[in-house]
Amino acid sequence: KAGVTQTPRYLIKTRGQQVTLSCSPISGHRSVSWYQQTPGQGLQFLFEYFSETQRNKGNFPGRFSGRQFSNSRSEMNVSTLELGDSALYLCASSLDPGDTEAFFGQGTRLTVV
Amino acid sequence: SQQGEEDPQALSIQEGENATMNCSYKTSINNLQWYRQNSGRGLVHLILIRSNEREKHSGRLRVTLDTSKKSSSLLITASRAADTASYFCATERYSTLTFGKGTMLLVSP
């Protein structure tokens, strides 16, 4: 069974640009969550999608957005990139929202210069 | 904001010794989970303990949960060099995970 796949693995962008990250969950998993990991703030919840609907959103500005497709694949977008957006972005999938374990992808390392 | 706070921030032990990490949290939870992360890679799920459970075992891992003290501990017995990693506790509530800042464990051969 394939794990959670995130693409690309590494990305370098310039301030002001926008970026789209992709996440393919484990087959059969319908819930996808996104997290940002930085040395200063640690792991922070961005948003969660289930059945193409955003169920929860973390405390991030509107420049951070996401969506989920009918096949449960998810994308997140960051517009008008800032240096502080440099981070490891992790996607996690689970069967359903709530009381189940989450499986994480290897992450996308975004560097904003 | 961080829900879980791990203690200690860093731990260095010899192979064969036991490693204990603690986690405290602030609000009520549905469950608490422990994850391992190797050097900036993805997180690997270790164990989940539900709010109505007090102790759980998985191989060399033992997790306890005290909801009255809002705390949990992860014990790794007979540690190996391959256990070197960062360990995070995460509390689940309203289907989102809130992570602590983690404990960096170094196991020396």
Side-chain angles (χ1 to χ4, degrees), chain B residues 36-91:
Chain B
R36 184 186 74 216
Q37 184 179 39
N38 289 85
S39 189
R41 297 169 66 89
L43 282 81
V44 174
H45 183 268
L46 295 176
I47 197 164
L48 180 155
I49 185 165
R50 301 189 192 285
S51 59
N52 61 353
E53 297 175 311
R54 292 296 167 258
E55 188 171 310
K56 206 160 182 182
H57 296 255
S58 176
R60 294 184 295 112
L61 306 179
R62 172 178 169 254
V63 168
T64 62
L65 179 64
D66 187 335
T67 52
S68 66
K69 295 181 180 177
K70 291 186 169 59
S71 67
S72 173
S73 68
L74 170 68
L75 168 68
I76 304 174
T77 59
S79 63
R80 306 166 182 167
D83 294 328
T84 294
S86 291
Y87 291 81
F88 296 88
C89 70
T91 52

Side-chain angles (χ1 to χ4, degrees), chain A residues 37 40-41 48 55 99, chain B residues 2 31 37 50 94-95 101:
Chain A
Q37 186 177 28
Q41 298 299 316
E48 180 208 3
R55 282 173 42 91
D99 201 27
Chain B
Q2 300 294 329
N31 64 62
Q37 184 179 39
R50 301 189 192 285
Y94 304 133
S95 75
K101 294 215 168 185

Side-chain angles (χ1 to χ4, degrees), chain A residues 47-107:
Chain A
F47 20 67
E48 180 208 3
Y49 288 89
F50 176 72
S51 292
E52 301 177 65
T53 302
Q54 186 182 89
R55 282 173 42 91
N56 288 298
K57 189 176 193 303
N59 190 25
F60 278 82
R63 299 185 298 106
F64 291 80
S65 63
R67 59 178 175 168
Q68 187 180 33
F69 302 95
S70 58
N71 62 358
S72 294
R73 191 177 70 84
S74 177
E75 289 181 347
M76 67 163 281
N77 184 276
V78 187
S79 62
T80 320
L81 284 165
E82 301 176 359
L83 295 178
D85 297 332
S86 295
L88 180 66
Y89 289 88
L90 292 163
C91 165
S93 80
S94 56
L95 278 168
D96 294 298
D99 201 27
T100 57
E101 64 180 283
F103 295 83
F104 282 79
Q106 291 297 299

Side-chain angles (χ1 to χ4, degrees), chain A residues 4-17:
Chain A
V4 179
T5 303
Q6 289 189 246
T7 56
R9 289 291 311 277
Y10 302 93
L11 206 49
I12 300 175
K13 288 286 190 178
T14 306
R15 271 184 303 176
Q17 288 186 313

